[in-house]
Amino acid sequence: MKEEYESLVRVAKSRGQYVNEALLLNAFNYACEKHEGQFRKSGDPYISHPIAVAKILADLGFETNVLCAALLHDVVEDCNVTYEDLVDDFNQEIADLVEAVSSIKREGDALKKVSKKTLDTLDMKKFIEHAKNNKKAYYIKLADRLHNLRTLDAMPPHKQLAKVRETRRLLLPVATNLQAYYFELKLEDLCFKYENPDVHKTVASLYEKELKTNIDQIRLLRNYLKGLINGEYNHLLLSEADEIFTNIYEYKRRIFDIYRQATTDISNLNELHINFHTKNIPMKNFILRVNDDFKGNPIRLFKTFVNQFLVKAGFTWIEENIDDHRIRTYVLLRDKHHNVFRIYFLTREQNMLYNLGNIENMQVIDNRPVDDIDNLLNKKIPIYRRDGSKAEIEEGATALDFAFMIHKEVGLCAKYAIINNIIPTPDKREESLFLRLRPGDRVDIYADTLKDEHSLYHATFEWFEHVRTPKARRDLIKYFKEKFGEG
């Protein structure tokens, strides 16, 4: 683990933060000692998890106290360490952060018969109360869940789905309220992977094939961008471009985003293909970091660079735009093979705002009672009925929830759902009812409700695993009580 710790320090320093190495090393050694002999489901030493959580936060630019708390975030919960121990051995801020993210103790008769969902709710209530005093605890909580989802393959499928459902119910709303898009979008993508493994695998395979096919074009653009930030073209640009563009980052597209964009105009998933030749589905994203002190227009300089150099290499300018979150400005380029690339332009401050949002947004939660955790955290999203009329449903709801929202009989007799004109294949019909709805989805429910004959009820006990709204649960409970009796 020494190499991983050294990597953590390098990442923290590279983000421009002062690192109290003595304090951080103390936290690392302390966590190693307390987690000695503990292992994750994957068989990895348990300490690998808190190091990974700390590394996520270091990469986002957090300071030493937060990184120490990330390294120690499970010692109170799992190692018989107390809050007072942490105050004595470290400092109060670190102790407060660790106390906030620690789950309630499971010992005692009072909690023996309490359901997992109820325990999760109690944990979240306790966390929100404690996080009022140090809101940076929200980021440790999100980084913890992000790494847990990244390593979810070690768990059986039913536990994977349970963890995803808990994430959607309790953690994603936190990221949404913060407007911390780094966490919101990554958690969303991982949830999609486990909720729809076949679709995720298909899209991921098509995407990786596209990347492999175009590896030379990706490398060509990357080298030009590196030359821009290294000052290779300064003498021809009449500018110190390397002082304006200070770094370059690149990352793959999220599979969920590609899926959403690729399925807007198909009627059957068997027709799924990804056309990276349209501006709606860029093949690769790059970020050019802009010096915070630069007061000019970086895109104007970049356009000059494109016209003087990239055009000769077969790249053409498509457009300049701003993303849906109104934070990141970008340009789109197309290469000679018609692949589309997106280049974002961000100062350090803009990047922090996009990744972490505004912590003061949590005042809305802080100032409200936490008795009803679901109403506190979750919000409604707009969707559209078959006739185009607008409706609202709880965020995280599925097509099956929408069927019950229409009417109890429609829900119980639901056969399949058509979402955004995608008709499921016969073997995927029931599965289509379990798909989570997103803002703006157009939903059409096909149900065996018959006017002159008895309706055909398709509800099964499995449906309880796929509904999120209280109405859907109530309707299912009532139906099964009437069918089988109170037992």
Side-chain angles (χ1 to χ4, degrees):
M1 288 298 124
K2 182 181 178 182
E3 294 80 6
E4 289 299 315
Y5 170 74
E6 290 173 349
S7 174
L8 166 64
V9 174
R10 285 195 301 273
V11 170
K13 288 182 175 180
S14 71
R15 297 300 178 262
Q17 283 283 0
Y18 165 73
V19 179
N20 183 334
E21 292 190 58
L23 184 62
L24 192 62
L25 181 60
N26 187 21
F28 169 71
N29 289 332
Y30 191 96
C32 286
E33 177 189 339
K34 298 302 179 182
H35 289 297
E36 179 69 31
Q38 296 178 355
F39 296 90
R40 307 196 78 212
K41 296 290 184 183
S42 62
D44 294 331
Y46 194 87
I47 188 62
S48 64
H49 168 63
I51 292 175
V53 173
K55 200 169 182 179
I56 290 170
L57 296 167
D59 192 41
L60 290 167
F62 282 95
E63 67 274 18
T64 305
N65 275 356
V66 175
L67 305 187
C68 289
L71 288 171
L72 300 165
H73 78 270
D74 279 331
V75 297
V76 169
E77 186 176 327
D78 297 335
C79 306
N80 295 317
V81 174
T82 66
Y83 170 83
E84 290 74 21
D85 292 335
L86 294 178
V87 173
D88 292 340
D89 294 331
F90 297 95
N91 60 51
Q92 186 169 343
E93 183 182 16
I94 292 173
D96 286 343
L97 287 167
V98 175
E99 177 66 17
V101 299
S102 299
S103 298
I104 58 175
K105 297 293 184 181
R106 265 45 176 177
E107 295 89 356
D109 295 336
L111 296 179
K112 280 185 177 178
K113 296 183 179 180
V114 175
S115 69
K116 174 70 165 60
K117 182 178 178 180
T118 300
L119 286 172
D120 291 339
T121 301
L122 292 173
D123 279 339
M124 199 63 185
K125 287 181 178 179
K126 178 248 182 189
F127 166 69
I128 289 174
E129 289 288 359
H130 280 74
K132 290 178 182 179
N133 299 321
N134 195 329
K135 294 184 177 63
K136 290 175 184 175
Y138 285 113
Y139 298 110
I140 299 176
K141 192 81 167 176
L142 290 170
D144 178 32
R145 180 51 52 95
L146 178 58
H147 184 251
N148 279 331
L149 290 188
R150 284 174 173 171
T151 55
L152 209 53
D153 287 337
M155 300 178 72
H158 71 281
K159 289 194 173 183
Q160 292 173 355
L161 285 175
K163 186 66 72 174
V164 165
R165 285 195 295 272
E166 182 196 349
T167 300
R168 288 209 178 281
R169 177 174 169 247
L170 299 177
L171 275 303
L172 258 172
V174 169
T176 301
N177 279 291
L178 277 169
Q179 296 181 332
Y181 299 118
Y182 174 92
F183 289 107
E184 182 181 16
L185 299 175
K186 288 182 183 296
L187 290 173
E188 178 73 72
D189 201 49
L190 287 164
C191 287
F192 175 68
K193 174 184 176 181
Y194 291 100
E195 290 171 327
N196 302 279
D198 292 339
V199 175
H200 188 279
K201 184 177 180 180
T202 298
V203 176
S205 177
L206 290 170
Y207 182 44
E208 289 297 331
K209 181 180 178 181
E210 193 73 18
L211 292 175
K212 187 175 181 180
T213 300
N214 292 281
I215 189 170
D216 290 337
Q217 288 299 107
I218 296 170
R219 185 182 295 117
L220 178 64
L221 180 57
R222 180 192 303 130
N223 288 338
Y224 269 103
L225 295 177
K226 283 183 176 179
L228 178 65
I229 66 169
N230 290 335
E232 294 177 20
Y233 309 104
N234 286 357
H235 62 294
L236 295 172
L237 290 174
L238 303 178
S239 171
E240 298 297 324
D242 58 328
E243 295 182 7
I244 297 168
F245 301 113
T246 60
N247 216 332
I248 177 177
Y249 306 93
E250 64 178 288
Y251 57 97
K252 294 180 181 179
R253 300 289 314 284
R254 282 178 293 274
I255 300 303
F256 179 73
D257 284 346
I258 295 173
Y259 165 73
R260 295 285 298 179
Q261 293 165 346
T263 56
T264 56
D265 57 357
I266 67 171
S267 59
N268 192 302
L269 281 178
N270 288 337
E271 302 171 6
L272 180 63
H273 69 283
I274 304 172
N275 182 5
F276 292 96
H277 300 163
T278 72
K279 67 179 185 180
N280 295 326
I281 312 180
M283 183 175 67
K284 196 77 182 285
N285 290 331
F286 290 87
I287 294 176
L288 279 176
R289 178 65 60 79
V290 179
N291 190 322
D292 287 357
D293 296 329
F294 181 61
K295 305 302 181 185
N297 185 340
I299 293 181
R300 184 178 302 160
L301 174 61
F302 185 75
K303 192 165 189 177
T304 301
F305 169 70
V306 171
N307 291 335
Q308 290 193 24
F309 302 100
L310 288 183
V311 167
K312 297 174 185 176
F315 292 90
T316 57
W317 182 285
I318 301 177
E319 70 176 29
E320 171 189 343
N321 215 323
I322 190 167
D323 70 5
D324 293 339
H325 309 300
R326 313 302 296 172
I327 297 174
R328 303 191 298 176
T329 303
Y330 66 86
V331 301
L332 295 177
L333 302 179
R334 180 178 281 124
D335 68 11
K336 63 183 180 181
H337 300 300
H338 304 289
N339 300 304
V340 177
F341 297 87
R342 180 164 48 200
I343 297 97
Y344 290 103
F345 298 81
L346 287 167
T347 64
R348 183 178 182 277
E349 182 179 351
Q350 288 170 330
N351 197 50
M352 292 284 284
L353 179 62
Y354 178 83
N355 285 336
L356 304 178
N358 183 354
I359 207 164
E360 296 308 315
N361 290 341
M362 303 313 285
Q363 296 283 16
V364 176
I365 288 178
D366 292 345
N367 296 330
R368 292 164 57 192
V370 297
D371 297 337
D372 188 343
I373 202 75
D374 291 298
N375 284 336
L376 177 68
L377 293 174
N378 291 292
K379 62 180 182 180
K380 302 278 188 177
I381 61 169
I383 56 173
Y384 294 88
R385 302 181 182 90
R386 178 190 302 181
D387 62 4
S389 61
K390 185 178 178 180
E392 287 191 334
I393 196 166
E394 286 92 333
E395 190 173 47
T398 63
L400 187 57
D401 285 300
F402 178 67
F404 280 102
M405 190 177 87
I406 296 171
H407 193 277
K408 176 185 174 183
E409 287 291 299
V410 175
L412 294 172
C413 301
K415 195 171 184 180
Y416 61 93
I418 296 178
I419 303 175
N420 301 328
N421 298 320
I422 299 174
I423 303 172
T425 56
D427 62 319
K428 298 289 185 181
R429 284 188 169 180
E430 185 181 36
E431 188 176 308
S432 69
L433 293 169
F434 306 151
L435 293 176
R436 179 176 178 265
L437 300 178
R438 295 279 294 178
D441 278 344
R442 187 186 182 105
V443 190
D444 194 357
I445 302 294
Y446 278 72
D448 286 325
T449 52
L450 307 173
K451 290 183 179 179
D452 302 323
E453 305 175 42
H454 290 296
S455 296
L456 300 178
Y457 295 104
H458 301 299
T460 68
F461 283 110
E462 181 192 1
W463 283 14
F464 281 108
E465 298 293 319
H466 302 286
V467 293
R468 306 288 181 270
T469 59
K471 183 182 186 307
R473 293 191 191 97
R474 287 195 303 268
D475 287 345
L476 283 171
I477 290 170
K478 185 175 181 180
Y479 168 71
F480 285 116
K481 279 185 177 180
E482 292 172 352
K483 185 174 182 179
F484 297 112
E486 290 294 328

